[in-house]
């Protein structure tokens, strides 16, 4: 098999990245934008020892599960790599990914149907889009899969259309004022990314310019013009001087308006800063948290630990169901935000501290605290062994695990089983329609 070779292929499966899979002559071929049951003429793009990548040149037989979309760049960039699949089949695909991971780990557990999102498109309350020079002009868009080639866009499909409006307006202001886009090869230019956050509760928007320098000519003029875009109440410069793929730098500078916007999860209000973690699907998040609360079987006598507590989104949603909540978070500004959010909502039975959960939880128990339930919602890398061991030493009756990465979740669940905790089922929740990503909820109980 050679690069640029044309081959006729019958697609048999989907990879975890939703690429069509074919096994041919001892090779596994991954075909972008192809579905099981389809017959395609494909062009080989890259050949490795045991696998290859290909793209469709001609669709010979089409799957009934295919959705024809006008803007194929959503699939090409990975921004919405499931956009060519009917939504109910997307939900089945996500459930199957969890089943496959459990089977690989030799865990015979029930996987419930994936909880559908209220919005299939336009659901994201935050966008982070790269800014680059394309054909001599500053553009916003998304990188093509497995590359840093920018595909210019104005419609981001999964993002709130109001955010798209502000992204385009901000792009035009940068163009008008001749602000140079970032050149990642030379590490020159000014604006690296645009980030826009929007409150679903009140429509307020925050615009963040991620820049190579913390000041540049015409910055004040640009900030003033952005602040006049309707619904924009906050303009912030994030300074990221490093040659890195990490989007945000450590320091934020308020250029105009408010340092925060306010949004809600259910009936709980949250003030959100530029670097606060806040679930991106505003309408699905209450369903996720309510599911976790329901599965936990909380009582008014329970003491809950909210590990990885962030700005308090889970703990403050749980507080009205239990006796008390104690949150722990390593990021100091997030802890301060959580405290402010507790005050904002008049919640008096939730307390937040800064530190490492694996160090603080056992010390709380040694001081006489009885933890009934621990909630964890870790980053994609999952839990550390140190945390898992510390949570077991804390001796809760239940551990509620919310995960944005089922692969690391299954790994961690296996470790918990070895330490005396087990689970009966996992419920996938579609927080990210049109993408392969899936959130999951399960409850571990002490054997």
């Amino acid at each position: 098999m050679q690069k640029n070779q044309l081959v006729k292929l019958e697609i048999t499966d989907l990879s975890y990245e939703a690429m069509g899979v074919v096994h041919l002559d001892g090779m596994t071929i991954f075909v972008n934008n192809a579905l099981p049951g389809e017959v395609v003429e494909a062009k080989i793009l890259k050949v490795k020892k045991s696998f290859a990548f290909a793209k469709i040149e001609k669709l010979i037989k089409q799957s009934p599960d295919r959705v024809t979309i006008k803007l194929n760049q959503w699939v090409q960039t990975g921004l919405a790599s499931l956009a060519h699949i009917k939504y109910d089949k997307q939900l089945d695909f996500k459930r199957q990914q969890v089943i496959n991971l459990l089977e690989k780990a030799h865990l015979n557990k029930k996987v419930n149907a994936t909880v559908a999102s209220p919005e299939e498109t336009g659901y994201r309350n935050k966008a982070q889009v790269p800014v680059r020079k394309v054909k001599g002009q500053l553009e916003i868009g998304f990188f093509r899969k497995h590359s840093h080639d920018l595909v210019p866009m104005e419609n981001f499909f999964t993002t709130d259309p109001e955010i798209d409006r502000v992204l385009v307006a901000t792009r035009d202001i940068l163009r008008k004022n001749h602000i140079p886009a970032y050149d990642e090869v030379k590490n020159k230019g000014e604006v690296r990314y645009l980030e826009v956050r929007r409150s679903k509760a009140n429509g307020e928007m925050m615009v963040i310019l991620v820049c190579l320098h913390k000041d540049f000519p015409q910055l004040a003029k640009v900030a003033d013009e952005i602040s006049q875009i309707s619904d924009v109440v906050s303009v912030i410069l994030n300074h990221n001087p490093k040659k890195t793929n990490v989007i945000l730098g450590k320091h934020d500078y308020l250029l105009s308006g408010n340092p925060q916007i306010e949004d809600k999860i259910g009936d709980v209000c949250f003030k959100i800063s530029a670097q606060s973690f806040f679930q991106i699907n505003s309408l699905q998040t209450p369903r996720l948290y309510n599911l976790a609360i329901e599965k936990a079987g909380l009582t008014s006598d329970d003491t809950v630990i909210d590990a990885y507590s962030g700005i308090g989104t889970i703990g403050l949603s749980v507080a009205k169901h239990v006796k008390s909540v104690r949150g722990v978070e390593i990021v100091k500004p997030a802890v301060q935000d959580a405290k402010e959010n507790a005050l904002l909502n008049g919640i008096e039975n939730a307390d937040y501290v800064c530190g490492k959960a694996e160090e603080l939880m056992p010390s709380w128990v040694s001081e006489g605290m009885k933890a009934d339930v621990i909630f964890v919602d870790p980053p994609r890398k999952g839990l550390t062994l140190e945390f898992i061991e510390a949570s077991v030493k804390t001796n809760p009756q239940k551990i509620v695990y919310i995960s944005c990465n089922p692969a690391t979740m299954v790994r961690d669940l296996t470790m918990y089983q070895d330490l005396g905790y087990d689970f009966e089922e996992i419920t996938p929740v579609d927080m990210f329609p049109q993408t392969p990503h899936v959130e999951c909820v399960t409850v571990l109980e002490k054997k």
Side-chain angles (χ1 to χ4, degrees), residues 123-126 197 263 265 272 276-286 288-289 311 313-314 377 402-404 431-432 439:
Y123 59 86
R124 291 186 63 99
N125 57 33
K126 182 179 80 170
R197 309 185 78 146
D263 208 342
I265 297 176
I272 305 166
S276 296
F277 171 77
F278 194 75
Q279 293 279 6
I280 56 94
N281 190 330
S282 295
L283 297 185
Q284 184 74 321
T285 300
L288 173 70
Y289 289 175
I311 65 172
T313 53
I314 294 176
D377 184 7
I402 301 171
S403 171
C404 61
M431 298 290 287
F432 317 99
E439 202 95 359

Side-chain angles (χ1 to χ4, degrees), residues 57 234 300 305 342 362 371 413 420 447:
E57 291 290 302
S234 174
S300 57
I305 292 177
L413 294 176
K447 296 177 186 175

Side-chain angles (χ1 to χ4, degrees), residues 401-414:
Y401 196 144
I402 301 171
S403 171
C404 61
N405 184 349
T408 53
M409 180 188 207
V410 169
R411 178 202 68 197
D412 295 345
L413 294 176
T414 302

